[in-house]
Amino acid sequence: MNEQLKGLLAQVSDGSLDITQAQQQIESLYFTDLGHTVLDMDRERRTGHGEVVYCAGKSVSQIHDILSHLDTSGINVLATRLDEVIWQQLAPSFPHAAYDASSRLCSLIHTQPRRCTKGYIAVVSAGTSDASVAEEAAGTIEFYGHEVRRFNDVGVAGIHRLFRHLEEIRGARVVITVAGMEGALASVVGGLVDAPVIAVPTSVGYGANFHGVSALLSMLNSCSSGISVVNIDNGFGAGYLAVMMNDL
Amino acid sequence: MNEQLKGLLAQVSDGSLDITQAQQQIESLYFTDLGHTVLDMDRERRTGHGEVVYCAGKSVSQIHDILSHLDTSGINVLATRLDEVIWQQLAPSFPHAAYDASSRLCSLIHTQPRRCTKGYIAVVSAGTSDASVAEEAAGTIEFYGHEVRRFNDVGVAGIHRLFRHLEEIRGARVVITVAGMEGALASVVGGLVDAPVIAVPTSVGYGANFHGVSALLSMLNSCSSGISVVNIDNGFGAGYLAVMMNDL
Amino acid sequence: MNEQLKGLLAQVSDGSLDITQAQQQIESLYFTDLGHTVLDMDRERRTGHGEVVYCAGKSVSQIHDILSHLDTSGINVLATRLDEVIWQQLAPSFPHAAYDASSRLCSLIHTQPRRCTKGYIAVVSAGTSDASVAEEAAGTIEFYGHEVRRFNDVGVAGIHRLFRHLEEIRGARVVITVAGMEGALASVVGGLVDAPVIAVPTSVGYGANFHGVSALLSMLNSCSSGISVVNIDNGFGAGYLAVMMNDL
Amino acid sequence: MNEQLKGLLAQVSDGSLDITQAQQQIESLYFTDLGHTVLDMDRERRTGHGEVVYCAGKSVSQIHDILSHLDTSGINVLATRLDEVIWQQLAPSFPHAAYDASSRLCSLIHTQPRRCTKGYIAVVSAGTSDASVAEEAAGTIEFYGHEVRRFNDVGVAGIHRLFRHLEEIRGARVVITVAGMEGALASVVGGLVDAPVIAVPTSVGYGANFHGVSALLSMLNSCSSGISVVNIDNGFGAGYLAVMMNDL
Amino acid sequence: MNEQLKGLLAQVSDGSLDITQAQQQIESLYFTDLGHTVLDMDRERRTGHGEVVYCAGKSVSQIHDILSHLDTSGINVLATRLDEVIWQQLAPSFPHAAYDASSRLCSLIHTQPRRCTKGYIAVVSAGTSDASVAEEAAGTIEFYGHEVRRFNDVGVAGIHRLFRHLEEIRGARVVITVAGMEGALASVVGGLVDAPVIAVPTSVGYGANFHGVSALLSMLNSCSSGISVVNIDNGFGAGYLAVMMNDL
Amino acid sequence: MNEQLKGLLAQVSDGSLDITQAQQQIESLYFTDLGHTVLDMDRERRTGHGEVVYCAGKSVSQIHDILSHLDTSGINVLATRLDEVIWQQLAPSFPHAAYDASSRLCSLIHTQPRRCTKGYIAVVSAGTSDASVAEEAAGTIEFYGHEVRRFNDVGVAGIHRLFRHLEEIRGARVVITVAGMEGALASVVGGLVDAPVIAVPTSVGYGANFHGVSALLSMLNSCSSGISVVNIDNGFGAGYLAVMMNDL
Amino acid sequence: MNEQLKGLLAQVSDGSLDITQAQQQIESLYFTDLGHTVLDMDRERRTGHGEVVYCAGKSVSQIHDILSHLDTSGINVLATRLDEVIWQQLAPSFPHAAYDASSRLCSLIHTQPRRCTKGYIAVVSAGTSDASVAEEAAGTIEFYGHEVRRFNDVGVAGIHRLFRHLEEIRGARVVITVAGMEGALASVVGGLVDAPVIAVPTSVGYGANFHGVSALLSMLNSCSSGISVVNIDNGFGAGYLAVMMNDL
Amino acid sequence: MNEQLKGLLAQVSDGSLDITQAQQQIESLYFTDLGHTVLDMDRERRTGHGEVVYCAGKSVSQIHDILSHLDTSGINVLATRLDEVIWQQLAPSFPHAAYDASSRLCSLIHTQPRRCTKGYIAVVSAGTSDASVAEEAAGTIEFYGHEVRRFNDVGVAGIHRLFRHLEEIRGARVVITVAGMEGALASVVGGLVDAPVIAVPTSVGYGANFHGVSALLSMLNSCSSGISVVNIDNGFGAGYLAVMMNDL
């Protein structure tokens, strides 16, 4: 958009645009205020990353407004936490979108993101039920043009399942571990790899897991070094952070 | 004591002991009421196990009363949670006792317990700081005449330390795992052995370990089967239960 | 499967099977990777125990895949936490399965498990509402070929109900106690029997029971020795562990 | 004090006391404002009960002021939560006081309370370590002139210890149960007696007892009816309430 | 039933009933074991109180079995926590029952309970939304033949509403206070009356009330004496206990 | 109503109204007791503020009674927490009411409130999902006749969005900040303005936000001075308090 | 300091001060960076309020540095949470300071603050043990030149103590309530006054008060309107906020 | 150590070392088992990083053993959580060590670590009291040979303090934020920089900060992306992870 700004300033300079109008047009290069939501229209240019829309807690019409505005501005968008029942109301308006019900991710791509060629990110998950959170991480990584490798159902109850893939996991530059219940996978992986590990506790389990608290505390108190933790079920946050790290 | 009871009844029968006195003497074969504490004088005969005295929260003079009474009755006693500073006041009265400051166990042995020959119990602990709880379990097992093998500082942060001993741990009939922080050791061991696993969370750690809650929740939510849990830092409870299992 | 492995190796040895194919076929004796789930195909041979599938959090199609694969491989399967509404979609595919709506257990038996003849396991539950968790434990024990005896609605509010059955409970080699609300049953039973006691807190109750936390804490803090605890409502875990103990 | 009020009003009536002075003197029959504390000088006349001073969190000099003022006014006083180290500084000023270090109660008696003759109150406690809280309840009951019977160390781990005293406990009009750890005593006693039961959780225990929370939740969720609960370690509150009930 | 027992023993004595049959018939005077539930058939004779059935967590058919059995035995029954949707399935079988949807109480009365003439019990509730819990207490009291007076919507936000009724509340022998949110009503009433106060926290409120925890803690920590607490929303428990107290 | 009271007293004085009738009529100027609810009929005269009805937990018919009674008495009413599905049953009876589904506020205005002219109140909210709570605050402020300015979706993740409006926010006499998740907005705003700040945590978020606890704790522990906190999602409480402050 | 800035700019303008030096000198009008702490040197001029130093967690030497620097700059300082044992090491360096051990406040006054003449602030506290927190609030208010009136030991257990002072409390423009235990005082006062109420929970109490959580939750869930809450024991925060309100 | 291994194997090969001895000597290249602790002697060679010893919970003699063994093996060691009072007993044995009382770090350097030249890591802390945790992070980073820049006392209560340093913070490749109380600094910094942010909650604060829980939850729920969290007060963990990231 730098070019757009330059053009506007040139118009101001030659008097073809008055200052009040210029102010509005310049501001709209950066923000759009929809009333309920203030959109950042400049992130993609600044960071090379598309815009992310967190859909939980927003009404169908709010999500529609936001996606439409970004979409018609030609900005890549990743919608997260978009429940299938809500998506079904939105889908007709966004025929070119890619939606995945398990991860609840929806992406609208206008420009293919530049590929990151530094190496791959491993997403390692403990049980079948953790897979949707793992997929939220993996889908986010792909949205940003990084390579991801998935290792599902390799929890520590049968540690040989993990060891089958150990060399490939060790080859990753960044590792995401996704686990519910007691979340021991993070500590075990953290003790086996030399890469930074992002731990995602999930709410998978019952009773004294307290909707993910057991895995969360487990991961925060890991005896392995090089581990940090994101919120319960926050696959997107882990994927986004992994991309930032892999870009280093 | 059966012989004692038989003798008393014989005296009643031949009239040499009146009924009121007989009642008192019979009852004292089973109970001694010290006012603050009611002692079970018959457990050793019934179960073959000595008596256990939990010392936390008792005054020095209460502990002294209890130990003296049992000791002079010739009953094996295991005192638990006996802090060193309190023991130092008691030690002169019990010169034949064996005290260990790390586990805070004190044993007074009159009759060597019968040796259990069915196999050994493994006590596996994660870090150096967990060793005193592990030792409470191990000392308890030895008090009851069972064989114990100790595996210290084999936490999952360096899982090869555990694997060095895996065959020997797998050889145990019952396994106790002792771990603080995230307590992942229990799940990993549970996934590797076929024996029942007793998990002891410890309060080792800081911050979001909440004095052992993180390890406790971890162990309760273990993805491995065959694991059950005792209270935080309850090495005695784990040891006692392991003995019951090993006696099966 | 040892025989199958021997046969494959013989084929490799006489050159009738090339190494790459042999590797795949040998590995499939042990694992099957369904993408979302990695199945252990060898447990029954190793441990004599059938495979267990935890169904909560898995989709209908995932459960269908897993059960089908194990079933066609002739492996005994116990599906746990299988809600009736999900089972109704699966039932037509598994006409030979036995399903119980109260315990949410479903078993597919190909080979009758060897009977354990060492003695019986007692499952003692406090109230009518605890019965479904108790039944999950009892059904698990039967799946593994052990004898179980059920004692329902014998909570401590009317302790004579428990005492009516005391001798029979004392005859068990292992005792499971199942209780919600204040979970006092575990301590009372623990004080009355000499067998190891597995305590299962249930989420039965309301208000300050916090979905089972009151019973859980009660059981972890039991003043009786020889008690260990599994997760809230974890009838399966208790049953499985009781089987391991009874096999000692 | 009614007589004092009548006298003052007579003086006002005959003009020998002006209204402003009368107002002050009448008010002082009811309140004394020490600045930091407002004393109720009339409770004993109104309710027949002496005044209670909760000492925790008050400075030595504040306690001294309060006790002195009440004492010189001839009011019976019960000081609670008075730690021995603080009492030792106060003792010289109150040579006629009775202090008990275990319950931390101190009583200053001027007029013997009228004896309640309706029956006795039972105070039943689980373990040796619960005795100081039980004694706070028992001492409170005696301060108010009611009969109390103590049953110590009769917890459910050895339920025969409780049954030895069952008839005497059943004879009480009100029962107080005092227990830490899992607090099961309250439910068991509640199921065995027909009197109202006041349950006092204590902070006795360690680990997952969370300073009395386990016993508190246990008692709040009791499956027995006729039980209510006071704060953790609140022996005074239980004793005071038992007296109110026994006075019905 | 004493007469029934006497008759049976007479039959045994004259040989018209053999011992095995006698044993069964005598036992059935006391217990009925429905498989899922063990009924106490003798409580009404022993205590003068009808039987109570807690319906939450029981299936429709279990409740039906229990109510039918007691009802046909001519025992007064109070069913608690009986949701309207479940009641509608049961109602045709119990045409003589009285059901109240707000308190979820259902009573089947065969013999009018003896009236307690010692005085009335006050049920004081804070807000309109607390009324269903208050009504559970009040209905329970009436089931047992005691007089109850209701004081609704008199919370401390407008304390004059409480003061309007103060004299009548002070006239009660026992006071129940029912309040959600911050539960201050219990302390205020406790400071104003001389009767024992049973505090019932309710789950009314939102946010940091944590489903009744705020009111529960408030009541446990009351600065007023003479207050004890039952579980959150436990109107029945409060009513039952108040009856026990009022019977003193 | 003063005039009404004067008239009644005049009638009493001239004997045209007897004392019993007068008492009832005078009391009804102040209270109306609907059985389930006690209405304050005099607040508007005393405080200049209309009456507020909290609808959560009340039945449709209870709300109908309350609104009708106040409405026909000509009192301004603000109904809060009135869910849309309940409102749809009430709407036909109150055609002149203004209802807003997002904030769940419904107002019935008879007399326009006097306008407060001292300045405006700023309502600053963090994310799109916090807007309904913010609107509850804003609508409350308007109901009381104060000026409010709304600043939505200005959370600290993009702090420039906040800074765009900083001068206008600094111009407010009182500032309300509404935020879920980590609630950092309150501290940041608190550090930037000199006005008192009322912080409203919302339940927006997931996982370790624990339904608003994270934002609540954040706000209670703010490092900025001049901040106080209301209950989670309590937009009404914040708006009401802001009005009280702005009236100073 | 405006004058100082003007002088410096004049020097820059006439060339007598070079730009680099000017930059440093201008910045030092606003900040002083002590390495461990960055002091705001301009607050007093901007807001008319002295600087506040929170001492908990700071070392003696850090506190000494900060107080010295501010003191020698002629800025009024209020040090909070300054424990007596630390103060005794600092006192010789600050002979003109006023220290109060109960509230742990220390003030160094150079310029008397302008008196606020709008009215007084009431500080109402529940028990003797709450007085130090109340005094922290009161001392803060006085530091800022506002009038405060103290009402100590007027908790709801004896509500007549509160009512003695009701008119004077109602006369305040802002009311602070300070209470531990169940914190009911806030709701009762909130229902009786029309001024905004700042509620300060204290950690006074024991057991289930959880170091102030019971009072905190009580106050957050108050059924009275117009109440907001600060952190547990945060007397300073309440005092500071009351001053901001009273300045409106 | 590769060379050492090669030499040993050569000796085995030429028969000068028998196999049993060789096994022991080879193993000791990797592990040293001190009984209480198993040391990893090979980490420095494998990872280029020295060994870390966590000292909390270890006895003076255990720490002495560990440090001595590593030190005499010429391995760089970083001891963490080494309290000053313990260090004073150890200092005479390690005259070449560098100890810092604030961060409780002690380093013994034999070989200077290779300098990382990729850029610097920023450590940004909120208040003076957070500095010791920040210094633990910073000292760790320096131990590993990376450049660190410290920004202390720049919390959001005075956000201009942070903005003074914004450009320099934005220049870092990895940012660590250290904050107690409400921990808002992490979200604000996370919204302002494009680098990955490691958030360290500290236990600084009081009351409802619950020893760091408020900051922990704040950081886990941050509305800014690119943030992950380590345990409360875990400065070492943050520093170690930052080094791993900066090495990418």
Side-chain angles (χ1 to χ4, degrees), chain F residues 156-157 159 163 181-182 184 187-188 191-192 206 208-210 213-214 217-218 220-224, chain H residues 156-157 159 163 181-182 184 187-188 191-192 206 208-210 213-214 217-218 220-224:
Chain F
V156 302
I159 209 165
F163 284 1
M181 296 181 171
E182 93 289 57
S187 288
V188 171
L192 291 168
Y206 60 92
N209 87 323
F210 302 126
V213 169
S214 58
L217 294 185
S218 216
L220 284 168
N221 288 284
S222 177
C223 55
S224 299
Chain H
V156 303
I159 209 165
F163 284 0
M181 297 180 171
E182 93 288 56
S187 289
V188 171
L192 290 168
Y206 61 90
N209 87 323
F210 301 126
V213 169
S214 58
L217 294 185
S218 216
L220 284 168
N221 288 284
S222 176
C223 55
S224 299

Side-chain angles (χ1 to χ4, degrees), chain B residues 1-245:
Chain B
M1 286 182 191
N2 271 341
E3 291 308 307
Q4 289 182 273
L5 179 58
K6 194 190 292 182
L8 286 169
L9 292 176
Q11 286 179 282
V12 171
S13 174
D14 66 13
S16 65
L17 185 70
D18 76 32
I19 285 180
T20 309
Q21 288 177 309
Q23 187 181 14
Q24 284 174 4
Q25 293 186 29
I26 289 172
E27 198 161 46
S28 74
L29 294 179
Y30 300 97
F31 290 104
T32 300
D33 194 331
L34 302 180
H36 51 77
T37 309
V38 180
L39 296 178
D40 180 348
M41 306 304 289
D42 190 41
R43 189 195 304 265
E44 194 167 272
R45 189 194 59 77
R46 281 201 322 272
T47 68
H49 288 165
E51 186 73 3
V52 177
V53 180
Y54 173 75
C55 298
K58 296 197 175 74
S59 69
V60 174
S61 72
Q62 287 174 333
I63 299 171
H64 188 276
D65 283 7
I66 296 169
L67 294 187
S68 293
H69 195 89
L70 293 166
D71 194 35
T72 56
S73 305
I75 294 173
N76 286 352
V77 187
L78 180 68
T80 66
R81 302 273 164 141
L82 184 51
D83 283 331
E84 194 166 14
V85 66
I86 290 178
W87 171 244
Q88 282 162 354
Q89 299 175 66
L90 296 166
S93 308
F94 303 95
H96 51 302
Y99 179 76
D100 174 62
S102 163
S103 63
R104 292 181 289 168
L105 291 177
C106 173
S107 56
L108 293 106
I109 303 288
H110 289 266
T111 322
Q112 282 305 315
R114 58 179 156 76
R115 302 295 307 169
C116 173
T117 58
K118 292 186 173 177
Y120 58 89
I121 297 165
V123 177
V124 184
S125 66
T128 307
S129 309
D130 299 310
S132 62
V133 175
E135 190 55 33
E136 192 187 22
T140 297
I141 293 165
E142 290 176 336
F143 174 79
Y144 288 118
H146 287 238
E147 182 186 354
V148 65
R149 300 200 187 167
R150 295 160 172 87
F151 306 89
N152 286 334
D153 199 28
V154 297
V156 301
I159 209 165
H160 45 275
R161 297 179 300 181
L162 176 67
F163 283 1
R164 279 208 307 160
H165 301 292
L166 192 52
E167 284 320 299
E168 196 174 0
I169 295 170
R170 277 181 165 151
R173 291 186 88 228
V174 179
V175 178
I176 293 172
T177 60
V178 180
M181 296 180 171
E182 93 287 57
L185 184 63
S187 289
V188 171
V189 169
L192 290 168
V193 306
D194 286 327
V197 173
I198 303 168
V200 189
T202 75
S203 53
V204 167
Y206 61 91
N209 88 322
F210 301 125
H211 310 293
V213 169
S214 58
L216 172 64
L217 294 186
S218 216
M219 289 164 171
L220 284 169
N221 287 284
S222 177
C223 54
S224 299
S225 297
I227 298 180
S228 62
V229 187
V230 296
N231 198 357
I232 297 165
D233 290 333
N234 190 5
F236 164 74
Y240 184 92
L241 178 59
V243 164
M244 291 181 86
M245 290 185 192

Side-chain angles (χ1 to χ4, degrees), chain A residues 95-139:
Chain A
H96 52 299
Y99 179 76
D100 175 63
S102 163
S103 62
R104 292 182 289 167
L105 290 178
C106 172
S107 56
L108 294 106
I109 303 289
H110 289 267
T111 323
Q112 281 304 317
R114 58 179 156 76
R115 302 295 308 171
C116 173
T117 59
K118 292 187 173 175
Y120 59 89
I121 297 165
V123 177
V124 184
S125 66
T128 306
S129 309
D130 300 309
S132 62
V133 175
E135 190 55 33
E136 191 187 23

Side-chain angles (χ1 to χ4, degrees), chain F residues 78-162:
Chain F
L78 180 68
T80 67
R81 303 272 166 143
L82 183 52
D83 284 331
E84 194 166 12
V85 64
I86 290 178
W87 171 244
Q88 283 163 354
Q89 300 173 65
L90 295 166
S93 308
F94 303 95
H96 52 299
Y99 179 75
D100 174 62
S102 163
S103 62
R104 293 181 290 167
L105 290 178
C106 172
S107 56
L108 294 105
I109 303 289
H110 290 267
T111 323
Q112 282 304 317
R114 58 180 156 75
R115 302 295 309 169
C116 173
T117 58
K118 292 186 174 177
Y120 58 89
I121 297 165
V123 177
V124 184
S125 66
T128 306
S129 309
D130 300 309
S132 62
V133 175
E135 190 55 32
E136 191 188 23
T140 298
I141 294 166
E142 290 176 335
F143 175 78
Y144 288 118
H146 287 237
E147 182 186 356
V148 64
R149 299 197 188 169
R150 295 160 172 88
F151 306 88
N152 286 334
D153 199 29
V154 296
V156 302
I159 209 165
H160 43 276
R161 297 179 300 181
L162 177 65

